[in-house]
């Protein structure tokens, strides 16, 4: 593939952040200072015990202090709610919005309502969440007497109903706060694809507060569209973006350059659709090298944003215009 410099930026300038779930070995203030020093525009703040514990009794005071610090450093913020064990020390991401026990589902909804309040106090531009996986005993809500295939369909329908009902009070809180709830399609979850997001949106009656978190790696992993086309398709609902490298069919978050994604068209698409939120680097399994990867990632993204695919790859080059061979990724 050929790459050439864009003559002039034509869309909205992008703002980059780095997720604290990839900096868990650092104290929160150290992580924020690092990102500000490196030139990031913001932070994707995962609510968890090692940084900002959403269940701590001093939450209000800590949030107020954090708001001042973010303002001092000039960092924007998105609230992430994907901590693995924040509610249950034995169940990863449990309980979820799909938990068979209504009281457990309510615990997850309460966490998200708390996240909306934290986002309000910090001036965050969105609150991220995801559905969770389909529980094995969901069929208990859908005993139809049908065969195995019919039971599976009924169980999935019951799960979608649970999801919509459990998210309703969260969306009410988001509406009152004026902060979008950005649901992320997650491989392996009930809501795994862009089509699934639209099913939820339809089930809920398309509330204004319901937005989308688009993970660029997930697009590469399982969507039929290219990541850049996913951006264009998702643009009307896009409220938060996560970004990392990934390979087709393998849900593994990779540092830039270690996967298969062609990043210049993705960033060009984000700019062209006028996306104004943060583009947050998402490397939750790389905290051991977090400071180094944070240092490397921002120059990579700036370089990828500075080049674009020619509008017509078959056109003859202009006089004096050369072409550079590339394997589809920026260096």
């Amino acid at each position: 593939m050929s790459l050439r410099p864009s003559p002039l930026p034509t869309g909205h300038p992008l703002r980059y952040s780095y997720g604290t779930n990839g900096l868990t070995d650092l104290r929160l203030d150290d992580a924020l200072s690092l990102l500000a020093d490196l030139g990031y525009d913001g932070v994707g703040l995962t609510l968890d015990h090692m940084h900002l514990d959403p269940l701590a009794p001093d939450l209000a005071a800590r949030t107020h202090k954090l708001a001042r610090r973010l303002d001092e450093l000039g960092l924007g913020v998105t609230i992430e709610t994907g901590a693995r064990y924040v509610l249950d020390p034995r169940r990863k991401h449990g309980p979820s919005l799909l938990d068979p026990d209504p009281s457990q589902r309510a615990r997850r909804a309460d966490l998200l309502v708390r996240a909306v309040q934290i986002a309000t106090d910090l001036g965050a531009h969105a609150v991220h969440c995801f559905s969770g996986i389909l529980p094995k005993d969901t069929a208990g809500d859908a005993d139809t007497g049908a065969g195995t295939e019919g039971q599976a369909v009924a169980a999935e329908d019951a799960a979608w109903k649970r999801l919509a009902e459990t998210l309703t009070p969260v969306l009410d809180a988001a509406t009152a706060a004026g902060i979008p709830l950005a649901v992320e399609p997650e491989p392996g979850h009930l809501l795994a694809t862009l089509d699934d997001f639209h099913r939820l949106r339809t089930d809920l009656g398309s509330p204004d507060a319901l937005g989308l978190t688009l993970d660029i790696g997930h697009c590469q992993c399982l969507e039929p569209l290219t990541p850049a086309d996913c951006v264009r398709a998702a643009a009307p609902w896009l409220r938060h973006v996560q970004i990392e490298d990934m390979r087709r069919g393998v849900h593994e978050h990779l540092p830039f350059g270690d996967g298969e994604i062609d990043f210049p068209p993705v960033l060009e698409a984000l700019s062209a659709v006028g996306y104004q939120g943060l583009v947050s680097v998402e490397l939750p399994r790389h905290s051991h090298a977090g400071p180094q990867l944070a240092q490397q990632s921002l120059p990579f993204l700036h370089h990828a944003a500075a080049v674009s695919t020619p509008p017509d790859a078959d056109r003859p080059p202009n006089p004096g215009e050369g072409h550079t061979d590339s394997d589809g990724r920026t260096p």
Side-chain angles (χ1 to χ4, degrees), residues 38-54:
L38 291 175
Y40 282 90
D41 302 291
V43 59
L45 177 63
T46 294
L47 302 181
D48 208 350
H49 66 89
M50 73 284 290
H51 286 150
L52 185 65
D53 187 345

Side-chain angles (χ1 to χ4, degrees), residues 194 219-220 222-231 233-234 248:
L194 289 175
C219 296
Q220 176 71 20
L222 53 70
E223 292 286 356
L225 299 174
T226 67
D229 284 338
C230 285
V231 169
R248 184 69 178 170

Side-chain angles (χ1 to χ4, degrees), residues 215-222 242-246 261:
D215 187 302
I216 300 303
H218 296 173
C219 296
Q220 176 71 20
C221 179
L222 53 70
Q242 297 171 345
I243 194 165
E244 69 285 318
D245 218 338
M246 202 169 288
I261 297 177

Side-chain angles (χ1 to χ4, degrees), residues 229-293:
D229 284 338
C230 285
V231 169
R232 286 183 277 269
W237 305 276
L238 197 55
R239 301 295 179 265
H240 181 41
V241 172
Q242 297 171 345
I243 194 165
E244 69 285 318
D245 218 338
M246 202 169 288
R247 301 185 183 99
R248 184 69 178 170
V250 182
H251 184 204
E252 181 183 4
H253 291 234
L254 299 172
F256 298 121
D258 288 358
E260 301 170 342
I261 297 177
D262 183 8
F263 285 98
V266 174
L267 300 178
E268 185 177 36
L270 284 168
S271 179
V273 302
Y275 174 68
Q276 298 184 35
L278 293 170
V279 179
S280 193
V281 179
E282 184 80 357
L283 293 172
R285 296 186 182 275
H286 291 78
S287 280
H288 63 282
Q292 292 76 27
L293 287 170

Side-chain angles (χ1 to χ4, degrees), residues 44-73:
L45 177 63
T46 294
L47 302 181
D48 208 350
H49 66 89
M50 73 284 290
H51 286 150
L52 185 65
D53 187 345
L55 305 180
D58 61 345
L59 177 62
R62 292 183 65 199
T63 303
H64 182 67
K65 181 179 179 181
L66 176 57
R68 293 200 308 268
R69 185 59 174 151
L70 290 169
D71 186 60
E72 290 171 0
L73 295 172

Side-chain angles (χ1 to χ4, degrees), residues 178-197:
I179 295 176
L181 183 69
V183 180
E184 178 189 6
E186 181 80 22
H189 284 211
L190 176 69
L191 197 158
T193 66
L194 289 175
D195 285 347
D196 292 336
F197 166 75

